[in-house]
């Protein structure tokens, strides 16, 4: 069994312009808990792994508060605010079977964008510069 936890905090401040010039900085954060169960070691199921992850987001958004308001968000200057999802949610629940001899792995369940494919390293805070960073729990750790 492996357990992961992390927290990421994005602080943003609009120094000039926008709808509410001179407002206070905003803070958005995400807390993430994950677990990986190697079922081969736990129950003798050869090549089977079960993965679960939960994320909780909270905070304010400079984009919503000071720039674009409540219209649909195309991007957000604080990636942890995401596209307005400020709730606790199941980010991943999957089971994977690795067929070692054939060199094939099959994974099913609730998966986020960028978990296995279209993975892109991103060191930006804004969702406009980091493709799919907002969609997966690993975004804040990688």
């Amino acid at each position: 069994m492996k357990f992961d936890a992390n927290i990421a905090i994005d602080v943003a401040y609009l120094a000039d312009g926008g709808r509410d010039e001179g407002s206070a900085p905003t803070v958005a954060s995400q807390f993430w808990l994950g677990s990986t169960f190697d079922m081969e070691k736990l129950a003798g199921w050869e090549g089977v792994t079960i993965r679960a992850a939960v994320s909780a987001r909270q905070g304010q958004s400079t984009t919503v508060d000071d720039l674009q308001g409540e219209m649909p968000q195309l991007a957000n200057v604080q990636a942890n605010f995401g596209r307005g999802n400020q709730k606790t949610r199941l980010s991943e629940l999957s089971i994977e079977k690795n067929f070692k001899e054939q060199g094939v792995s099959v994974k099913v369940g609730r998966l986020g964008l960028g978990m296995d494919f279209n993975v892109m390293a991103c060191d930006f805070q804004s969702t406009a510069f980091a493709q799919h960073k907002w969609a997966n729990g690993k975004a804040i750790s990688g």
Side-chain angles (χ1 to χ4, degrees), residues 3 7 15 18 33 40 50 67-68 76 78 87 122 133 141:
F3 295 97
I7 188 166
L33 291 172
E40 190 165 350
I50 296 176
L67 293 173
Q68 69 187 43
N76 197 302
Q78 290 151 293
K87 298 178 174 95
C122 182
K133 180 179 180 178
S141 61

Side-chain angles (χ1 to χ4, degrees), residues 7 23 26 31-32 37 45 47 49-50 56 61 76 79 85 88 94 101-104 107 114 117 120 128 131 133 139:
I7 188 166
S23 63
T26 59
F31 180 64
W32 186 83
F37 301 96
W45 300 352
T49 302
I50 296 176
S61 167
N76 197 302
N85 177 8
T88 300
S94 66
E101 291 178 13
Q102 292 81 7
V104 174
K107 188 179 206 181
F117 300 99
M120 178 181 131
Q131 183 181 21
K133 180 179 180 178

Side-chain angles (χ1 to χ4, degrees), residues 38-112:
D38 183 344
M39 298 308 292
E40 190 165 350
K41 292 178 182 173
L42 293 171
W45 300 352
E46 186 177 339
V48 176
T49 302
I50 296 176
R51 175 105 179 110
V54 174
S55 60
R57 291 178 172 171
Q58 57 276 334
Q60 303 83 33
S61 167
T62 294
T63 301
V64 172
D65 294 351
D66 302 328
L67 293 173
Q68 69 187 43
E70 295 300 323
M71 61 190 269
Q73 296 179 46
L74 300 175
N76 197 302
V77 298
Q78 290 151 293
N80 287 326
F81 192 83
R83 302 285 193 287
N85 177 8
Q86 292 296 292
K87 298 178 174 95
T88 300
R89 65 185 179 118
L90 180 64
S91 298
E92 180 181 0
L93 181 59
S94 66
I95 185 166
E96 182 176 13
K97 170 66 175 160
N98 187 354
F99 299 94
K100 295 174 187 169
E101 291 178 13
Q102 292 81 7
V104 174
S105 180
V106 177
K107 188 179 206 181
V108 296
R110 188 204 187 306
L111 307 167

